[in-house]
Amino acid sequence: MTPATSLSARFLDARIPPTLRVSTTRSLGGLGMQCPKCSSPNVQKLDLFWKSLPAESPLRATYAPPDEVASQVLIALAATLVGIGVAVSGAILLGLLVAVGGMVFGAVNHAGVERYRGQLADWAAARLCLACNGLF
Ligand SMILES: [Zn+2]
């Protein structure tokens, strides 16, 4: 059986590829990061920078997170159910129109919510260079 010390010694001997080292420093919140444009180490996470701005700062609008798109799934579901109810009660064309309208509204709203979530994730992951104002 191999003693545990030889296992840890082998691990320390292993050379860490540079790409892995970069991703490790990024996951620690940007410690030791440089701006890709001007090579300045004066880099901050965009969301932390934005939260630290005073309320009257004009930069709050410039670097604000994307506007939230609220999920309207209950309205879309209610419109679809009302449409089905109207169609069953006799006004078939009107009922189908309301039901299809509810489904289309739901699909468009869902796409908007997904887009917002992607933009918010990008914003939260972005870094701001305090030397050249570059975002990356
Ligand atoms: Zn820069």
Side-chain angles (χ1 to χ4, degrees):
M1 193 171 166
T2 314
T5 50
S6 73
L7 182 66
S8 60
R10 224 181 303 147
F11 177 74
L12 289 174
D13 280 346
R15 292 178 187 271
I16 300 168
T19 51
L20 189 62
R21 264 183 260 147
V22 168
S23 66
T24 307
T25 53
R26 279 193 182 153
S27 68
L28 291 174
L31 294 169
M33 282 194 77
Q34 283 190 339
C35 172
K37 283 185 199 161
C38 69
S39 301
S40 167
N42 200 1
V43 166
Q44 194 171 9
K45 280 196 79 197
L46 180 59
D47 56 346
L48 297 178
F49 174 77
W50 184 77
K51 285 169 192 165
S52 71
L53 289 171
E56 64 274 7
S57 170
L59 291 177
R60 279 189 77 84
T62 307
Y63 296 114
D67 290 330
E68 184 173 1
V69 178
S71 177
Q72 309 283 353
V73 68
L74 289 180
I75 292 173
L77 188 66
T80 305
L81 292 177
V82 166
I84 290 171
V86 170
V88 167
S89 71
I92 296 172
L93 200 62
L94 178 68
L96 284 178
L97 206 65
V98 172
V100 168
M103 286 189 269
V104 169
F105 172 74
V108 169
N109 176 248
H110 180 72
V113 169
E114 288 298 306
R115 201 175 324 110
Y116 162 70
R117 285 180 182 158
Q119 289 171 343
L120 186 65
D122 289 346
W123 179 82
R127 305 250 189 277
L128 175 69
C129 173
L130 301 177
C132 73
N133 295 334
L135 285 172
F136 56 97

